[in-house]
Amino acid sequence: MVRLVKGAYCDAEIKRAQVDGMPGYPVYTRKIHTDLSYLVCAQKLLAANDVIYPQFATHNALTLSTIYTWAKHAGIHNYEFQCLHGMGETLYDQVVGKENLDKACRVYAPVGSHETLLAYLVRRLLENGANSSFVNQIVDEEVSIDSLLTDPVDASRDSGGLPHPAIALPRDLFGGERANSRGLDLSDETVLAEFGDAFSTFGKQQWHASPLLAQAPQATATTMVQTVHNPAQRRDVVGHVEEASKEQVEAALASAAEYAAAWQNTEPAQRAHSLQRAADLLEQHMHELIALAIREAGKSLPNAIAEVREAVDFLRYYAAQVIGHPNPVALGTVVCISPWNFPLAIFVGQLSAALAAGNVVIAKPAEQTPLIAFRAVQLLHEAGIPPAALQFLPGRGEIVGAGLTADSRTKAVIFTGSTEVAQLINRTLAKRAVLESSDIPLIAETGGQNAMIVDSSALPEQVVQDVISSAFDSAGQRCSALRVLFLQQEIADKTLTMLRGAMQQLRVGCPDRLATDIGPVIDFDAQQQLLGHIANMKASAKQHYELPLPVPRNAGEASNATFVPPTVLEITDLAQLQREVFGPVLHVIRYKRDDLAKIIDSINATGYGLTLGVHSRIDETIDFICARAHVGNIYVNRNIVGAVVGVQPFGGEGKSGTGPKAGGPLYLKRLQRNPQANLGG
C-alpha cells in the first residue's frame, strides 16, 4: 500500500527556508504546481499497479475525477480513495456504492483524548480553511465552477513553471534593503561532504592572533603568548594569541584619535560598501569560521552556522541603515568589548554598528576566543575598512579593557558580558564623566536570572520544547538562556516527567559531530563552578535529574574536556540562587495560582532580567505578568499551534541565526547613564 497525500504547511516550510537562509524552497510556492505534481505521482502509482496498491487521499473533485478516468481507461481497479472523517462527505456520497462510481473510500478518523487531538483539529481547520483549498472554494458562491475545474496542466503551463512571484527567495527576504545571510542545509549530503572536506583541513589548522594596529608603538615590550585549546578536547591546540601590552594599548588610542575625523568625514555610502564587502567575505570564508567557532568556542555545528550568519546579518543591516541618510555626528573612539559565548556575532555586531555611524573602533575580544575575532578583523580590513578605523587588541581585561575604558580618548564603550564587569566599567566611566565634565555613553548587555512562568492552561508539549531549547542549547551559555522555570503545581509533575523524557533524546559530545546537541562549556573554570553549584544544590533539591556525559575512551580524555551534564534541579525558593548560573542547569520552582504576584516580585527582586518567558492561554494572566515584570524582553507562547507572540520587545540579545531580523535595538542600555545618547550622536 502506498498512500498519496497532498502536502500541507507549505507556508511553514517556506518560512523555515527563509529563516535558515536556504538557496530555495523544498516545496512548491504555487498551489497549482502541487496539484499537477499530485497527478504526475498518481500516474506513476497506477502504472506500477502490479506491485503497488495506490491509496489516493484527496477532497478535490477534479483530482478524484481525473484519477478515476485514467484508471478506468487503463482497466485498473485495484486502488482506493481516502478522506478524513467529517470532510468530503458530499463528494464521496457520489463515489462509493454501486449506484455511483463504486469505488472504495477509506475514512481516516482521529481517535484519542481532547488534549491529544486539539492540535490535529486546529491544523485541519487551517488547511481546509485556506483560500486555495478546494474544500473551502466549493462552498464559496463567488468561486465559479470553471475556476474550480481549472486544468492543473494548462495552469502550470501558463505560469511557465516558475515560482510564485510574490514569494521572494530566502536570499531576497529583505527586498532591496539587503541580502539575507546564507545558511547551510545539513540535510543535504553534498553540503555535508563539502564541509567534511573543509573540516579535514580546518580541523587540524592552527591560527595565530596578535594585535592589529595602525602604527606600532615606539617602545617595545615583552608580550605574553597564550595557547588556545579546544574545550571539547583540550589536547587539540587551536592556535596561539599574542596579548597586547600597555604600549600597544597606548599606540592604538593615539592612532584612533588621530584618524577619527577622517573616518567620520568618509561618505556613509563608502563605509557601508566596506561593511557589505566584509559580509560577503565572511560568507566566502564560512567553512573556516564555522570550524573556528566549533574548535575555539565549543559550538555545535548548527550554532556555529548561526554564529557566522548573524555576523553577516549585522554587517549588512548596519550598512543599510546609513545608506541614503545624512552623515551622523559620530562620537569618536568607541571601545568594543565582546563575550566568548558569541565570539563572532556579537563581536562583529558591536563594531559594525560603531563603524557604520562613523566612529573609529578599538575591539577587544574575550580572552577565551581571540582567534575567530582576529580572522574577522583581517577580513574587515581586506574589505576596505582602514586599519586606523578598526584596531584589534586581544588580551587581559585588567590591562587592555581597563586601560581603554579609563583613557579620556575613549568616547563610548559597548560591552557584552557579566554584570560585575559591566558595573566596573560603569564606575570607571562615571568617574571620568565628573573629571571631564561630559557624558560617556555605555551600551551594555548583561545576563540575569531569566525565568519562564507556566500556568496550568499551558500545553506541556510546547512548554518542554521551549524549555529544552532555551535552557540547554549552546550548553546554556547564552545571556538570554532560561535559568528558572516556574510551574503551576497542577501541571508540574506531568511537565517534569515529559521534560525528563525529552532530555534523554539530547546528546552531549564533541560539537564537530552532527549527532551532538550539546557541547562543552567554555573552559575549566566555568566547568568547575558549574559542577560545584550542581553538587551543592543537589543536597537541598527536592529532586534532580541530569544527563550522563559521554563515556571517555581513556582516563586522559576525560580530564581533557569541559563537559557539564544538562541538569534539572527542583528548588523551593528563588532566593536560593545568589547569582546567575551560566551553563546547562535549569532550576524548577512550583507555585500556586494565588502566589503569581509573589513570583513576579521575587523575579524583580533578583535585579536586572534580560528575558522572561510566559506560557499561558489566558489573556488576563499574560497581561498581569507583562504589566508587573521588570525585564528587557517578554516572550509569550499562547500555546495555539505553536504560535509565539513577542510582548513588549524593549530590545536585547540577538538570537542565533536571526540577528537584527528580530527587531529592536542591538543592546539593552542597562548601564547607560544617558538614555538619549547613542552611537550616531
Side-chain angles (χ1 to χ4, degrees), residues 595-630:
D595 292 336
L596 182 58
K598 295 179 182 178
I599 291 298
I600 300 173
D601 290 342
S602 69
I603 294 172
N604 292 340
T606 63
Y608 175 66
L610 181 63
T611 62
L612 172 68
V614 180
H615 269 259
S616 175
R617 284 188 267 185
I618 303 173
D619 288 342
E620 289 78 5
T621 299
I622 295 170
D623 294 340
F624 182 87
I625 295 172
C626 291
R628 289 164 174 77
H630 303 159

Side-chain angles (χ1 to χ4, degrees), residues 516-572:
T516 296
D517 300 300
I518 301 173
V521 296
I522 189 62
D523 56 24
F524 180 77
D525 289 342
Q527 179 194 43
Q528 294 308 302
Q529 289 180 11
L530 289 165
L531 293 178
H533 172 80
I534 292 171
N536 291 335
M537 294 301 293
K538 280 182 179 179
S540 58
K542 296 174 65 176
Q543 60 175 316
H544 57 82
Y545 175 72
E546 64 182 38
L547 282 182
L549 291 179
V551 178
R553 288 171 293 185
N554 54 64
E557 186 181 81
S559 62
N560 277 284
T562 55
F563 295 111
V564 171
T567 304
V568 175
L569 298 159
E570 184 177 348
I571 61 178
T572 56

Side-chain angles (χ1 to χ4, degrees), residues 3-133:
R3 185 175 189 236
L4 184 61
V5 190
K6 286 192 182 179
Y9 282 144
C10 62
D11 53 344
E13 298 288 349
I14 288 170
K15 179 51 62 181
R16 185 177 296 110
Q18 290 174 340
V19 170
D20 292 343
M22 296 293 99
Y25 297 115
V27 294
Y28 297 110
T29 55
R30 291 181 190 263
K31 174 68 163 59
I32 202 69
H33 292 165
T34 299
D35 292 338
L36 176 59
S37 177
Y38 190 96
L39 292 177
V40 172
C41 292
Q43 281 186 330
K44 292 183 178 294
L45 293 179
L46 290 172
N49 190 248
D50 56 329
V51 292
I52 285 175
Y53 177 72
Q55 300 169 299
F56 301 108
T58 179
H59 298 135
N60 187 311
L62 178 62
T63 302
L64 184 149
S65 301
T66 303
I67 293 172
Y68 173 81
T69 303
W70 285 345
K72 182 178 180 180
H73 287 172
I76 298 172
H77 305 285
N78 192 31
Y79 69 95
E80 70 180 41
F81 291 108
Q82 294 184 352
C83 72
L84 294 172
H85 175 68
M87 297 185 62
E89 293 177 345
T90 304
L91 171 63
Y92 282 101
D93 281 346
Q94 303 177 57
V95 174
V96 299
K98 294 188 179 297
E99 68 280 7
N100 298 311
L101 299 183
D102 195 21
K103 291 306 304 175
C105 177
R106 188 185 303 266
V107 179
Y108 268 68
V111 178
S113 65
H114 164 267
E115 62 180 7
T116 301
L117 295 181
L118 180 61
Y120 172 87
L121 172 62
V122 174
R123 185 166 70 248
R124 293 303 177 203
L125 289 173
L126 287 174
E127 291 169 0
N128 294 288
N131 291 337
S132 59
S133 167

